[in-house]
Amino acid sequence: MERASASWVIYLSLVCGLLFMLLPFPLEWRIFRPDIATLTLFYWVLALPQRVGVTTAFFLGLGQDLIEGSPVGLSSLGLMISVLVLLSNYQRIRQFDGVQQSLMILVLLMLTSGAEQWLRNGMGMPGLPWLGLVGLSCSTVCWLAVREILRSLRRYYEVT
Amino acid sequence: MVGLQKAAIDGVALTTGVILAPVEAWDRMVAAMNSRSDLQEEVLRLQQENRVLKGQSQRLAALLSENARYKALLRSAQLIDDELIAAQIIAVSPDPSRHIVVVDKGTLDGVREGQPMLGEEGLMGQIILSGERTSRAVLITDSAHALPVQVNRSGLRAIAEGNGAIDRLLIRHLPAKSDIRVGDLLVTSGLGGRFPNGYPVARVTEVVISEGEAFALVTAEPISALDRGRYVLVLQRTVESEAES
């Protein structure tokens, strides 16, 4: 395995994704906010599966929960599950064209959100309304843009 | 875990402040460019308003003490003096399934968990987690929130539940024969001890009584505009003396 270089780019981009959650959105529009942090995580898992994996997903989930104020660890499980799926299929998903890949990302986002809803249900917390699926599609639409931005960053800083 | 969350609240609020700094600066610049005459007019208006309010609060003080005397005579209820802390909503929780806001006052200012939060017109919610300088408050429309209310006109007691829509509260399990009408004002009933009684909560907008159903379904609209406005009041209760009930 080659040595890690410029891995700060990875963590900085994840932190930026988390900061995006803090941008003020009107109360009724929050549902359409694309989940940039999760998309960033998915990109790095696809690009550098030897560097970013389940542990990173766990800590990103912790960060999301602390920002949202939901019970700590709630988002982690879903992220870890979808990162596992991604890790075992990354070679295939890398070969997909843009639309196929976006659809795959939508499935992964639904898996993440599904696991979270399941936990919320078990804890008696209010779940996401059905409109939440629209929010997931907003994230999906952003996938290609996020991928291009992060890819150029990865090439520029030669992150490995 | 709760300690971690409390520590995170302040950090998150600080970061939000940094992100929002340009917006705030713009607001301040716009305010600074208001003309002198506008400001003078506003000062005059506010002074008048302040005089009226002061006059009203004088009467309030007299009424409060009178009320306290009566209550002492009845030896029934505890005497409660409400103190208000002015706060500002600085953020909305990113979780779209909850109605949670962040206010800029924390334990250092005396804000504690469970204190009611008021808007200009009526009850807005309650504090659920307080950090040192900021706190999280849940709004009454959150789908995990319910509060005991009373119809102001008839004294009928009920539970008003949030259901995740910002302009709606639901009252279920109210017998179909209950005395409740469209336009009735719902105020806090004080049962449960969390919210002091008498604060306006919502106005009834719809009463659905279906044939053969045991319960009426009542919908009400919160009186304070929960998704607008930034300034809120946190109610600090100081229980002066507890008489036997």
Side-chain angles (χ1 to χ4, degrees):
Chain A
M1 194 187 265
E2 75 258 58
R3 276 188 61 236
S5 82
S7 50
W8 58 269
V9 177
I10 302 176
Y11 302 112
L12 192 70
S13 62
L14 288 174
V15 168
C16 286
L18 285 179
L19 286 183
F20 190 79
M21 291 177 74
L22 286 175
L23 282 185
F25 257 60
L27 206 65
E28 297 285 82
W29 290 73
R30 286 174 302 171
I31 211 146
F32 304 115
R33 180 202 308 265
D35 193 352
I36 300 291
T38 307
L39 290 181
T40 313
L41 176 75
F42 287 170
Y43 173 77
W44 288 117
V45 174
L46 266 186
L48 303 168
Q50 75 277 22
R51 206 61 71 212
V52 179
V54 178
T55 319
T56 319
F58 174 75
F59 284 108
L60 186 74
L62 283 194
Q64 286 185 344
D65 288 332
L66 288 178
I67 286 177
E68 280 185 356
S70 42
V72 181
L74 194 71
S75 315
S76 293
L77 181 75
L79 283 180
M80 285 159 77
I81 292 175
S82 27
V83 162
L84 262 181
V85 173
L86 208 50
L87 278 176
S88 51
N89 292 297
Y90 70 93
Q91 278 165 327
R92 191 177 315 157
I93 296 173
R94 272 181 190 169
Q95 306 306 321
F96 287 169
D97 66 16
V99 179
Q100 270 180 321
Q101 213 172 50
S102 297
L103 286 177
M104 192 61 211
I105 292 297
L106 179 62
V107 170
L108 287 170
L109 285 170
M110 283 162 99
L111 187 64
T112 314
S113 159
E116 192 184 323
Q117 295 311 311
W118 178 65
L119 277 181
R120 276 169 184 266
N121 220 350
M123 296 171 78
M125 286 172 66
L128 212 60
W130 282 107
L131 210 59
L133 290 176
V134 182
L136 296 185
S137 344
C138 289
S139 304
T140 312
V141 171
C142 293
W143 164 251
L144 289 180
V146 169
R147 190 184 70 173
E148 288 315 310
I149 294 169
L150 289 176
R151 178 180 283 168
S152 55
L153 274 180
R154 179 171 64 91
R155 293 199 174 139
Y156 185 78
Y157 291 104
E158 291 171 352
V159 187
T160 53
Chain B
M1 279 306 188
V2 176
L4 189 62
Q5 280 180 319
K6 280 186 178 180
I9 281 191
D10 287 337
V12 166
L14 193 70
T15 324
T16 318
V18 173
I19 294 176
L20 286 185
V23 184
E24 300 270 324
W26 174 255
D27 278 355
R28 236 171 290 146
M29 207 174 82
V30 170
M33 285 200 286
N34 272 349
S35 72
R36 196 182 146 80
S37 63
D38 279 356
L39 289 174
Q40 276 174 336
E41 238 169 63
E42 174 136 19
V43 167
L44 262 178
R45 193 179 58 78
L46 288 176
Q47 276 176 344
Q48 275 175 356
E49 204 178 299
N50 193 21
R51 244 174 259 137
V52 171
L53 288 175
K54 267 188 180 158
Q56 282 176 349
S57 73
Q58 281 171 19
R59 223 181 76 225
L60 187 73
L63 285 174
L64 266 180
S65 59
E66 194 181 317
N67 194 7
R69 275 203 304 280
Y70 286 144
K71 278 190 172 165
L73 279 175
L74 287 169
R75 305 176 67 80
S76 60
Q78 52 192 19
L79 308 179
I80 290 162
D81 191 16
D82 294 336
E83 223 173 272
L84 296 166
I85 306 167
Q88 205 177 341
I89 294 179
I90 50 172
V92 175
S93 163
D95 181 355
S97 59
R98 307 295 306 270
H99 288 172
I100 292 177
V101 296
V102 182
V103 296
D104 68 342
K105 292 279 152 58
T107 47
L108 290 181
D109 310 282
V111 171
R112 299 274 182 281
E113 279 116 35
Q115 288 174 344
M117 185 173 81
L118 304 175
E120 276 174 38
E121 285 107 18
L123 191 76
M124 285 184 82
Q126 58 174 310
I127 305 291
I128 47 171
L129 188 74
S130 47
E132 271 189 7
R133 284 163 211 286
T134 44
S135 315
R136 276 210 175 86
V138 62
L139 302 181
I140 51 175
T141 49
D142 185 278
S143 35
H145 193 268
L147 80 157
V149 293
Q150 198 169 21
V151 177
N152 202 28
R153 181 176 53 82
S154 60
L156 178 76
R157 286 187 300 269
I159 303 281
E161 301 168 20
N163 76 333
I166 195 70
D167 56 353
R168 208 179 320 147
L169 288 175
L170 291 181
I171 300 178
R172 289 184 275 212
H173 315 303
L174 202 61
K177 294 265 157 87
S178 304
D179 184 11
I180 189 164
R181 289 186 223 139
V182 171
D184 276 349
L185 179 70
L186 302 175
V187 298
T188 48
S189 70
L191 294 185
R194 176 60 60 97
F195 298 104
N197 67 333
Y199 284 97
V201 177
R203 202 170 278 286
V204 175
T205 52
E206 201 185 10
V207 180
V208 180
I209 300 170
S210 327
E211 289 289 325
E213 292 282 331
F215 297 115
L217 181 66
V218 179
T219 317
E221 190 184 0
I223 287 190
S224 36
L226 298 177
D227 51 351
R228 262 162 281 141
R230 300 186 64 177
Y231 298 96
V232 295
L233 297 166
V234 179
L235 201 66
Q236 219 180 1
R237 306 174 66 189
T238 43
V239 178
E240 277 181 352
S241 70
E242 286 204 32
E244 63 269 50
S245 51

